[in-house]
Amino acid sequence: MQITILVGSVHGNASAVAQALQMAADDIAAQITVLPMDGLGIAVFDQPGAFIICTSTTGSGDVPDNAQALFHSLDAQAKYLGHVRFGLVALCDSSYGDSFMGGGKQFDERLRDLGARRVGEVCVLDTMETSQPEEDAVAWLKAWAVQLATVA
C-alpha cells in the first residue's frame, strides 16, 4: 500500500506528526512518503495510492502558509478527484473557538467537493486534549489503514 502524507505546518508540529506516521509504515505494511505542501498543486493527486492531509491551522482558521498554493490550486485548477482516497490529521487548539480545526476543515470540504473520498474519521489532535500527538496519530493510522483496505 502506497500512502503520501501532505504536510501543512506552521511551527513544525504537523511535520513531527507526519514523521511519526512515516515511521509506523511497517506496522501497517505500507510505503509512506512525506511531502511538505510547499509549492505543490492539485497535480500531486495524480500519484497512485492514498493520501493523508496532515495540517495545522493558523490565523483565523486558515491553512498554513506553506499549504496555500496547494489549497488554492484546488479552486484555480479544479478537476474531478473521484479516484482519491484520503485521511485527515488536523492539528488544532479548541481554545480558538470558531476557528478550531479550520485548516483541516477547509481541506476536507474542498477535496470532498471535488469528488475525493475521505476514509474514516478525522484524527483531531487538539493541543488542549492531548500531550502525545504523535502517539495518538499513530494509533489513528493503524485503524485508518484497516478502513482504507476495505474501500481501496
Side-chain angles (χ1 to χ4, degrees):
M1 174 173 23
Q2 173 62 44
I3 299 170
T4 302
I5 302 176
L6 303 174
V7 184
S9 192
V10 177
H11 300 292
N13 297 332
S15 297
V17 167
Q19 289 172 346
L21 294 175
Q22 185 178 37
M23 288 190 291
D26 289 346
D27 295 344
I28 62 167
Q31 181 178 17
I32 298 178
T33 304
V34 175
L35 289 178
M37 291 186 198
D38 304 72
L40 296 179
I42 195 170
V44 73
F45 294 107
D46 294 342
Q47 298 179 65
F51 296 85
I52 294 174
I53 305 297
C54 182
T55 187
S56 58
T57 297
T58 189
S60 299
D62 300 316
V63 300
D65 287 347
N66 80 310
Q68 291 287 330
L70 175 58
F71 184 73
H72 291 301
S73 77
L74 297 176
D75 283 328
Q77 300 163 343
K79 63 182 178 180
Y80 182 65
L81 297 177
H83 65 285
V84 173
R85 302 293 176 260
F86 74 99
L88 177 62
V89 177
L91 288 81
C92 42
D93 184 335
S94 58
S95 70
Y96 282 85
D98 290 345
S99 65
F100 176 64
M101 214 174 86
K105 286 178 182 177
Q106 287 186 59
F107 267 109
D108 184 52
E109 182 179 308
R110 189 63 190 129
L111 286 170
R112 295 190 318 161
D113 283 350
L114 294 174
R117 182 172 171 193
R118 187 184 75 222
V119 175
E121 295 299 316
V122 174
C123 176
V124 178
L125 301 175
D126 181 358
T127 59
M128 301 298 288
E129 299 288 325
T130 184
S131 60
Q132 54 187 26
E134 291 88 355
E135 292 85 354
D136 292 351
V138 168
W140 170 87
L141 176 69
K142 291 175 183 178
W144 181 80
V146 171
Q147 291 177 304
L148 180 64
T150 66
V151 298

